[in-house]
Amino acid sequence: MAHINESYLELSGSYLFAHINRRVAAFRSSHPDADIIRLGIGDVTRPLVPAVIRAMHAAVDEMASAATFRGYGPEQGYEFLQEAILDGDYRPRNVKLDADEIFISDGSKCDVANIQEIFSADVKIAIADPVYPVYLDSNIMAGRSRNIVFLPGSAGNDFLPQIPDEKVDLIYLCSPNNPTGSVLDRAALTRWVEYARENRAVILFDSAYSAYIRDETLPRSIYEIPGARDVAIEFKSFSKSASFTGVRCAYTVIPKELKGFDRNGNPHLLHTFWNRRQTTKFNGTSYIVQRAAEAACRGEGRIQNQAVIDYYMGNADIIRNGLEKAGYTVYGGKNAPYIWWKLPSGLDSMKFFDTLLETCQVVGTPGVGFGSCGEGYFRLTAFGDRERTREAVKRIVAAGL
Ligand code: MLT
């Protein structure tokens, strides 16, 4: 008999954004003329920048000639991209990494979900609440539903995860946080690195939104913190920094010092484990995509993408200022492309989703979808078109919800 993985029965019925999409589709079919503005899923809307398009075209041409055609590439990614990442993201911030500590992939969602495979089934895992739902769901799928320690975020602690009283083995940190937009500063991140060092824990640092940090004093990489190489894995993505949500490219950094431990306390290199996992289960990111990502890291491509990021942050200002002026309390949107809107007291965020859609034809994301501490909040994304974003704010303010 084909027994199922019963852990799947412990998951909520559908993945957050699949659920939202279904509700929007239902609304659209019953209101075919509605002019819906989508500020729900954090999907980019600006096109790929010219430098990236040029690099992709050139790579396609290489694939057309027997002399330059590429078949399977290294599972870990091409060195040209690893070097471009070092030049773009790390060397300017004095972070020293080796190129082969960077594993190129086709997305951070897969990486943050798959990384737990190299740890034991009984590790205790700390997960912020509210946060990107993939950390929790993927660990429930792996049978760890009873091993989770939630780190509650609230306006009182600036939505920043606090060190737990109990000992945990793995810690997911998302900074800038999705959905709240809060960012761990140097002091807070240092406390987490010290905690991990004292407890032989590993930090899984998701910084997919680091390109949106405008405050230069805030760390963009956990490796800016002394000692982090011994305790942290970092995830970054080209999705939001270079409009790659449909192109797919990301990377995971595993320093060669970083160790996990077997039952007898013997250390093992996590770099070796992840390399073994990737070479077995993954055949690398496409050459064309890696050439595109290389162009996003360097020179013109980097400058052009910065202009796109500035555009989205202009939208964030419009949403933030518009809602604040109308008397609402909002968080985030300063160093992140998400606005975390405190709903008028007592409003249920799932019900508010329907109210907003019906009244304003604006789609957002209910806070409770990111964890129980997200109840009473609502996330709006800054990744929309400028005029449509203005229009959404106008409708919301006029509706006076
Ligand atoms: C979000 O809306 O939270 C993100 O787009 C989801 C993702 O990056 O997978």
Side-chain angles (χ1 to χ4, degrees):
M1 201 186 309
H3 287 293
I4 54 157
N5 173 356
E6 292 190 17
S7 298
Y8 275 63
L9 301 174
E10 298 184 46
L11 292 165
S12 60
S14 56
Y15 180 59
L16 172 64
F17 294 106
H19 177 74
I20 298 300
N21 279 339
R22 266 205 315 279
R23 283 170 88 139
V24 176
F27 180 81
R28 192 180 282 291
S29 76
S30 57
H31 302 77
D33 298 327
D35 176 24
I36 298 173
I37 304 179
R38 303 187 77 126
L39 302 183
I41 188 165
D43 194 4
V44 294
T45 54
R46 307 300 297 160
L48 295 173
V49 300
V52 165
I53 290 290
R54 255 199 321 278
M56 280 183 108
H57 279 300
V60 169
D61 287 342
E62 284 183 66
M63 296 300 246
S65 147
T68 49
F69 170 78
R70 314 270 180 140
Y72 291 127
E75 293 91 342
Q76 304 81 357
Y78 285 101
E79 199 177 338
F80 64 76
L81 178 54
Q82 293 164 324
E83 281 295 329
I85 289 167
L86 290 177
D87 285 343
D89 287 351
Y90 292 107
R91 289 182 179 130
R93 304 187 76 80
N94 293 320
V95 171
K96 290 192 179 49
L97 295 173
D98 290 339
D100 64 356
E101 291 176 321
I102 298 175
F103 292 85
I104 311 297
S105 76
D106 59 2
S108 276
K109 182 179 187 171
C110 327
D111 287 355
V112 298
N114 291 333
I115 195 74
Q116 45 78 27
E117 282 184 27
I118 65 170
F119 296 95
S120 146
D122 59 7
V123 282
K124 197 171 260 193
I125 304 184
I127 299 182
D129 177 2
V131 85
Y132 187 40
V134 174
Y135 315 145
L136 177 61
D137 283 6
S138 56
N139 276 287
I140 293 177
M141 289 170 176
R144 297 198 186 90
S145 62
R146 271 161 283 281
N147 311 8
I148 313 282
V149 172
F150 290 103
L151 308 174
S154 64
N157 59 22
D158 294 329
F159 302 100
L160 291 172
Q162 307 295 305
I163 307 262
D165 296 333
E166 59 195 298
K167 188 170 155 18
V168 294
D169 309 305
L170 282 187
I171 304 140
Y172 280 91
L173 296 178
C174 182
S175 180
N177 178 278
N178 175 11
T180 64
S182 59
V183 185
L184 287 157
D185 65 13
R186 221 163 272 278
L189 213 42
T190 300
R191 284 195 293 279
W192 276 111
V193 167
E194 282 165 3
Y195 174 89
R197 293 175 70 89
E198 279 157 23
N199 292 283
R200 292 180 154 192
V202 171
I203 298 172
L204 304 173
F205 189 72
D206 181 356
S207 87
Y209 298 95
S210 61
Y212 288 81
I213 295 178
R214 290 192 282 194
D215 177 344
E216 270 305 316
T217 67
L218 293 170
R220 290 184 178 211
S221 162
I222 195 165
Y223 304 119
E224 292 177 42
I225 307 300
R229 281 184 60 89
D230 297 325
V231 291
I233 294 176
E234 179 160 284
F235 305 90
K236 282 192 195 262
S237 167
F238 289 90
S239 284
K240 317 294 159 82
S241 62
S243 309
F244 272 41
T245 52
V247 175
R248 311 305 307 148
C249 194
Y251 62 90
T252 291
V253 182
I254 308 196
K256 287 183 209 137
E257 293 91 320
L258 180 56
K259 297 176 190 77
F261 300 87
D262 66 25
R263 298 220 169 273
N264 300 318
N266 300 313
H268 298 269
L269 297 182
L270 295 180
H271 185 279
T272 308
F273 272 52
W274 186 244
N275 191 53
R276 184 70 173 84
R277 191 262 173 214
Q278 290 297 82
T279 48
T280 306
K281 295 194 174 183
F282 182 60
N283 250 341
T285 307
S286 110
Y287 173 72
I288 299 164
V289 165
Q290 291 191 62
R291 279 294 183 202
E294 178 193 27
C297 291
R298 296 194 187 279
E300 252 191 300
R302 205 168 179 87
I303 294 167
Q304 291 166 356
N305 276 314
Q306 186 57 51
V308 177
I309 291 167
D310 292 344
Y311 173 94
Y312 292 135
M313 290 310 279
N315 289 349
D317 291 339
I318 288 168
I319 302 173
R320 226 192 120 84
N321 297 338
L323 293 185
E324 268 179 351
K325 230 165 117 191
Y328 294 108
T329 303
V330 290
Y331 302 90
K334 286 186 175 160
N335 293 293
Y338 294 125
I339 282 74
W340 189 234
W341 178 9
K342 167 119 190 61
L343 297 177
S345 156
L347 284 188
D348 167 304
S349 60
M350 278 291 178
K351 284 204 189 106
F352 187 78
F353 172 88
D354 292 327
T355 308
L356 190 65
L357 188 53
E358 277 153 25
T359 320
C360 304
Q361 285 86 58
V362 172
V363 179
T365 309
V368 72
F370 299 96
S372 58
C373 294
E375 186 51 288
Y377 290 86
F378 203 74
R379 194 193 76 175
L380 294 174
T381 158
F383 287 124
D385 166 82
R386 174 62 50 84
E387 281 321 305
R388 300 291 283 162
T389 300
R390 272 194 225 285
E391 169 65 19
V393 173
K394 205 168 116 196
R395 289 186 200 173
I396 293 170
V397 171
L401 297 168

